[in-house]
Amino acid sequence: WEHVAGAQPAIVLDEFVECEAAVRADPRWQEALRRRGVTDFSLAMVDSWSAGNFGFPEDEGRRLVRALTWVRRHPGDNGYARPVANLLTVVDLNAMRVLAVEDGGVVPLPPEDGNYSVEAAGARTDVRPIEIRQPEGPSFTLAGHELAWQKWRMRIGFTPREGLVLHTVAYADGGRERPILYRASIADMVVPYGDPRPTYYHRNAFDVGEYGIGTLANALVNGCDCLGEIRYLDAVVNDGQGRAVTLPNAVCIHEEDAGILWKHVDWRLGTTEVRRSRRLVVSSISTVGNYEYGFYWYLYQDGTIQLEVKMTGVISNGAEPPGGAPPRWGEMVAPGVYGPIHQHFFNARLDMMVNGLDNSVYEVNTMADP
């Protein structure tokens, strides 16, 4: 290893917990909540956002986060339904000490709970059960981390930073196994926010590199998100003390019907030929604070490889005064709750190996003749 002066490593899970405790214990933060009518600090929820360095001399060498606060109405409440506006807490994680509490003025807490539970929101009553059955089992085979399906073969990997990784993807063609990819993963992502106000402009999350999308992967043993004949792989990561931690069922593998692969009607003969498409799905879901990211690698029978990222969960929001003009940098999403404009950019690292190591990349554009 080589020491890089002035750099900070990624946040570890322990620091989220310790930072929340340090903020709750700070009398300046407690007084700011009292001004908003909150006295039970155990119901407060504090999210740590990496701050980087804003160029101030006193920031040099410090490991800073700018923490935001929400308040639950009761212990089982949706934590992100009632954001605390204009309150920002700066914490040095190395010292685990609150450096500053910035209060830009009291705004009433949003009035609604915004819970998503069946008890609060109800359940659909207009759908009947649907079942996916494969009585003879799935068409793929899994030997350790080696996965084979149709003409595809690959190995499934997992890292604390990137999460799901595909290795040595190959495709059988004409009696030979052709290499396609040496390695494929999401190497990083960035979520920039477009609101310039004090509690928003610093929100610029690198959810892979700063927080570790693999470390934050869901253990699907607690609730499966796939459907059908499923096979799982565990993932092993490290906690903040360097100890190995197993995430049960972090990777889900299953097959899906994917519509029509090929069809033709011979109207002269009155015959129809249809081939249905099937795809292999290798997926993993991670929770980063308010957001859930589902990463789905699809392999098709026509040789296509596709990556889909599904985002769900709750937006990172803020509160606005009742009756005022809505901010220019987002939308009101509920009474008193504001959703700031932001984007999600995903960076895929594709280490290509099509038919061997000597690969080139071309950009081809179709242009109209004059």
Side-chain angles (χ1 to χ4, degrees):
W1 57 272
E2 178 184 354
H3 178 251
V4 180
Q8 294 285 352
I11 288 182
V12 296
L13 290 176
D14 299 34
E15 291 177 304
F16 288 119
V17 177
E18 294 167 5
C19 178
E20 189 167 46
V23 170
R24 283 177 174 169
D26 188 87
R28 296 164 292 180
W29 176 87
Q30 293 178 357
E31 182 56 33
L33 285 196
R34 289 192 189 96
R35 288 194 289 269
R36 291 161 170 84
V38 179
T39 56
D40 186 352
F41 305 133
S42 69
L43 296 176
M45 191 176 76
V46 180
D47 272 4
S48 304
W49 287 67
S50 297
N53 189 316
F54 287 88
F56 303 117
E58 60 269 23
D59 289 351
E60 190 65 34
R62 279 178 163 164
R63 184 171 171 79
L64 300 179
V65 295
R66 296 163 75 83
L68 303 170
T69 302
W70 288 259
V71 178
R72 302 180 191 269
R73 200 182 298 275
H74 54 82
D77 195 14
N78 169 20
Y80 292 102
R82 304 169 75 226
V84 177
N86 298 330
L87 183 61
L88 190 67
T89 310
V90 182
V91 181
D92 181 348
L93 295 183
N94 280 339
M96 204 50 70
R97 183 168 64 90
V98 174
L99 302 180
V101 176
E102 302 172 8
D103 190 345
V106 174
V107 171
L109 292 174
E112 294 185 358
D113 291 349
N115 286 301
Y116 301 107
S117 65
V118 173
E119 292 77 15
R124 286 184 179 271
T125 58
D126 56 350
V127 292
R128 295 176 179 175
I130 184 171
E131 294 183 0
I132 297 176
R133 297 178 61 249
Q134 292 180 277
E136 298 180 16
S139 302
F140 61 82
T141 60
L142 187 63
H145 283 247
E146 184 183 54
L147 176 63
W149 177 79
Q150 300 285 291
K151 298 181 179 182
W152 293 102
R153 185 181 301 275
M154 75 203 74
R155 290 185 179 274
I156 309 300
F158 199 94
T159 74
R161 175 194 170 105
E162 303 158 292
L164 190 56
V165 181
L166 304 186
H167 296 274
T168 56
V169 179
Y171 189 84
D173 178 28
R176 64 191 179 112
E177 194 169 76
R178 300 172 60 180
I180 306 295
L181 279 162
Y182 180 71
R183 190 182 193 277
S185 70
I186 293 295
D188 215 328
M189 56 175 286
V190 61
V191 189
Y193 283 71
D195 189 323
R197 293 178 296 173
T199 56
Y200 297 100
Y201 76 86
H202 70 280
R203 302 190 197 190
N204 191 61
F206 292 86
D207 286 336
V208 175
E210 284 192 318
Y211 303 111
I213 212 82
T215 301
L216 300 175
N218 294 175
L220 298 180
V221 69
N222 297 326
C224 181
D225 305 305
C226 305
L227 197 61
E229 279 287 333
I230 304 162
R231 300 293 182 269
Y232 297 103
L233 289 173
D234 297 343
V236 180
V237 297
N238 297 98
D239 65 11
Q241 307 302 316
R243 297 168 298 207
V245 175
T246 298
L247 304 178
N249 297 6
V251 177
C252 175
I253 303 168
H254 71 289
E255 291 176 289
E256 290 180 344
D257 181 274
I260 295 176
L261 177 64
W262 176 87
K263 177 179 179 177
H264 180 63
V265 175
D266 190 323
W267 61 271
R268 292 181 177 87
L269 300 178
T271 60
T272 301
E273 293 282 349
V274 180
R275 309 286 187 270
R276 292 205 64 80
S277 176
R278 188 179 296 193
R279 67 185 181 188
L280 180 68
V281 186
V282 184
S283 64
S284 180
I285 298 178
S286 296
T287 300
V288 188
N290 52 290
Y291 267 119
E292 264 76 17
Y293 297 102
F295 299 93
Y296 296 81
W297 290 92
Y298 301 129
L299 294 103
Y300 292 85
Q301 292 166 305
D302 63 356
T304 299
I305 301 174
Q306 178 188 1
L307 170 66
E308 183 179 32
V309 182
K310 300 180 181 181
M311 292 191 297
T312 178
V314 187
I315 62 172
S316 182
N317 49 31
E320 293 295 326
R328 294 179 291 163
W329 308 284
E331 293 185 359
M332 300 303 295
V333 296
V337 181
Y338 161 71
I341 187 173
H342 61 287
Q343 294 173 288
H344 298 251
F345 294 100
F346 297 88
N347 300 85
R349 174 186 170 183
L350 303 176
D351 199 344
M352 304 301 297
M353 193 171 60
V354 179
N355 288 340
L357 298 178
D358 296 329
N359 284 194
S360 300
V361 177
Y362 294 89
E363 180 177 339
V364 179
N365 296 293
T366 302
M367 307 291 292
D369 284 341

